[in-house]
Amino acid sequence: MARKKILDETPMEPLKLPAEQTEEIGALPESVTEATKTEQEQGLDAESTGEDSPKGEPEADGLPIDDGYPVGEISDIVSVELETGSEYEAIPPEAEVPYGEENNAGLPSDGEAQEHDYGRISEQETADYMADIAVKPEAQPEAAPESEPEQAAPSEQDAPVNERRAFFGQDFRELDRSLTPEQRQEWNSIYASYRGRSVMSGQVVGVDRVRIRTRDKNTGEMIWRRMYCAIVIPFRVRILIPESEMWLDGDERPGFVLRNIAGASIDFVIISVDREGGLAIGSRRMALPSRRYFFSTQPEMNRPGSRVSCDVLVVGPRRCLVSCSGYDLDLTQREMSYTAIADLRDKYHSGDRLDCIVKEYERRKNHLAISVKETVPNPFDGADFRHPAGSRRYAVIAGKYAGGVFCNLPDGVTVMCNYAFHYDDSTFRAGDRVLLVIQRYD
């Protein structure tokens, strides 16, 4: 059992707190407060982008006239290969970075990270791809004979159509003859999503590095691209969501975010099916506008004060990335809990579904603001009645700030204390159990 430490009623001088903390008796430790301020200064709110839609477009921004997601954005994915053996081992290991810690020493800043958009390749990767193409004759486009110009490579528009025609030309009754009822249901869901672009949901079981053979939209050439893919397995079929299909344009995230997304629940649309190979390729980027459109048509969901739910994608020490009705939002500790939390990873995990309150919603600006902590009563209401001045209370140290120590009471109230005269700062650590004396309320 951890030893208890006693904080005496030693007279203490008033401690000046930042303006945002004086209302809640020092609600946050130094690390959380500084992180919040830095994020606000750098403008890291992911939900603040978007422009007014021109006249004549559907109710939800970003939706096309007929399809429900950007027209012509489906990649012409031809084949997929896994990185295996020595080829995979030759890839240098990448540093595992907690979400929200991308600005630490030795790591690129937010501005640098966004220069490397998902799906774009560096000069070194380009050289690797050209080497792959050189040793794979099928990757080179065949030059059309001068005498037969009509034999030119198929156009950008023809390729997806031919692929879909070939898919629906298969004998599904024969292919699905030996499937169990669970497998048949799984494939039917995949067929329906590919045919009608309906949205599927599933849990990310891992992230693999794969090689995807695609057709360049401008030149029609076949190229190999290495990228990370989130893996979803509803029952037995392996569904790959490439990193270029994870985020909406303008809302891309650094690569380490995808590599830490295992366990999260995501939505996606099937854009390619290899029935004989037993795998499919999905796009989360194309599922998000559909979720946003549905959210925009439900006044009982999108009006301020409405109670909805959000899915936790990635958790860092100070921030959580959540998905709510098609919006990817960064939530800080102040938006997650009234109680000071030194490390959000101790309480929240990828795959958690949380209740939240809609604070602001502007459809035309693609702006949504939510709060998780406001789904429960504010623990500071009535705190002076539950913990009168002079009472001794059991608490847990949450963090330190400006020479004081922040402690959480069992009911969620956060208090700021000074040390007893016979203790110094090095004696106390976050997580220690202590006894404190309530002296006054501010």
Side-chain angles (χ1 to χ4, degrees), residues 81 196 385 441:
E81 288 186 1
F385 175 77
Y441 286 85

Side-chain angles (χ1 to χ4, degrees), residues 97 165 183 200 207 305 311 328:
V97 184
R165 286 179 179 175
Q183 290 175 308
M200 297 179 62
V207 179
D311 295 310
D328 293 336

Side-chain angles (χ1 to χ4, degrees), residues 373-434:
K373 72 178 183 181
E374 294 187 24
T375 58
V376 297
N378 191 333
F380 291 94
D381 294 338
D384 54 346
F385 175 77
R386 298 192 301 271
H387 311 292
S391 60
R392 298 164 67 90
R393 292 293 184 265
Y394 165 86
V396 177
I397 295 179
K400 302 176 182 180
Y401 177 76
V405 56
F406 288 85
C407 301
N408 292 332
L409 298 180
D411 59 358
V413 174
T414 300
V415 298
M416 190 196 70
C417 306
N418 281 355
Y419 300 114
F421 69 92
H422 53 281
Y423 288 117
D424 58 28
D425 182 76
S426 61
T427 307
F428 297 89
R429 298 181 180 179
D432 284 350
R433 304 170 185 176
V434 298

Side-chain angles (χ1 to χ4, degrees), residues 97-342:
V97 184
Y99 180 67
E101 296 294 292
E102 59 268 31
N103 289 330
N104 286 352
L107 297 175
S109 64
D110 285 342
E112 295 173 344
Q114 293 185 6
E115 293 178 359
H116 301 82
D117 291 341
Y118 294 104
R120 298 183 183 177
I121 54 178
S122 64
E123 295 181 0
Q124 181 61 40
E125 289 176 322
T126 302
D128 294 340
Y129 300 154
M130 298 305 296
D132 290 334
I133 295 172
V135 299
K136 295 180 173 60
E138 69 275 11
Q140 292 283 1
E142 297 182 0
E146 295 182 0
S147 59
E148 298 180 2
E150 67 277 3
Q151 298 297 328
S155 64
E156 173 188 343
Q157 292 80 9
D158 293 337
V161 175
N162 293 337
E163 181 184 354
R164 294 179 69 86
R165 286 179 179 175
F167 170 78
F168 292 116
Q170 299 180 86
D171 186 355
F172 294 102
R173 180 173 300 178
E174 180 62 28
L175 290 171
D176 298 344
R177 184 183 301 276
S178 61
L179 298 181
T180 65
E182 293 81 4
Q183 290 175 308
R184 185 173 289 107
Q185 178 59 54
E186 180 183 37
W187 277 112
N188 285 340
S189 299
I190 294 175
Y191 299 155
S193 180
Y194 184 64
R195 178 190 295 269
R197 298 169 181 175
S198 59
V199 178
M200 297 179 62
S201 299
Q203 185 182 45
V204 178
V205 298
V207 179
D208 295 344
R209 188 179 176 94
V210 302
R211 291 203 313 160
I212 298 181
R213 187 177 179 224
T214 63
R215 188 191 308 275
D216 187 275
K217 293 183 177 181
N218 298 323
T219 64
E221 297 180 358
M222 296 298 195
I223 59 175
W224 289 92
R225 304 171 65 180
R226 289 187 179 91
M227 64 178 66
Y228 285 96
C229 293
I231 307 299
V232 177
I233 304 178
F235 183 66
R236 292 294 184 269
V237 179
R238 184 180 189 180
I239 301 176
L240 292 78
I241 294 91
E243 59 183 343
S244 59
E245 297 296 323
M246 281 295 298
W247 321 104
L248 284 173
D249 294 339
D251 196 24
E252 293 86 354
R253 306 283 169 162
F256 64 82
V257 177
L258 176 64
R259 296 193 294 275
N260 288 276
I261 204 172
S265 296
I266 62 173
D267 300 325
F268 54 91
V269 172
I270 300 298
I271 60 176
S272 182
V273 178
D274 182 358
R275 177 62 184 84
E276 296 181 354
L279 61 86
I281 296 177
S283 172
R284 180 176 180 268
R285 178 173 62 91
M286 295 180 181
L288 297 180
S290 297
R291 295 302 192 200
R292 292 187 179 188
Y293 176 76
F294 177 78
F295 182 74
S296 69
T297 61
Q298 306 297 314
E300 67 279 4
M301 295 177 60
N302 59 47
R303 69 168 59 96
S306 299
R307 193 184 187 102
V308 294
S309 62
C310 62
D311 295 310
V312 178
L313 300 180
V314 183
V315 185
R318 302 176 183 87
R319 286 189 292 168
C320 282
L321 176 64
V322 303
S323 178
C324 180
S325 300
Y327 293 88
D328 293 336
L329 307 175
D330 284 307
L331 300 183
T332 62
Q333 192 271 345
R334 291 183 64 87
E335 298 160 322
M336 297 294 294
S337 174
Y338 291 105
T339 304
I341 303 176

Side-chain angles (χ1 to χ4, degrees), residues 79-94:
S79 60
V80 177
E81 288 186 1
L82 300 180
E83 298 278 8
T84 58
S86 59
E87 184 178 20
Y88 183 82
E89 294 171 358
I91 302 173
E94 301 188 34

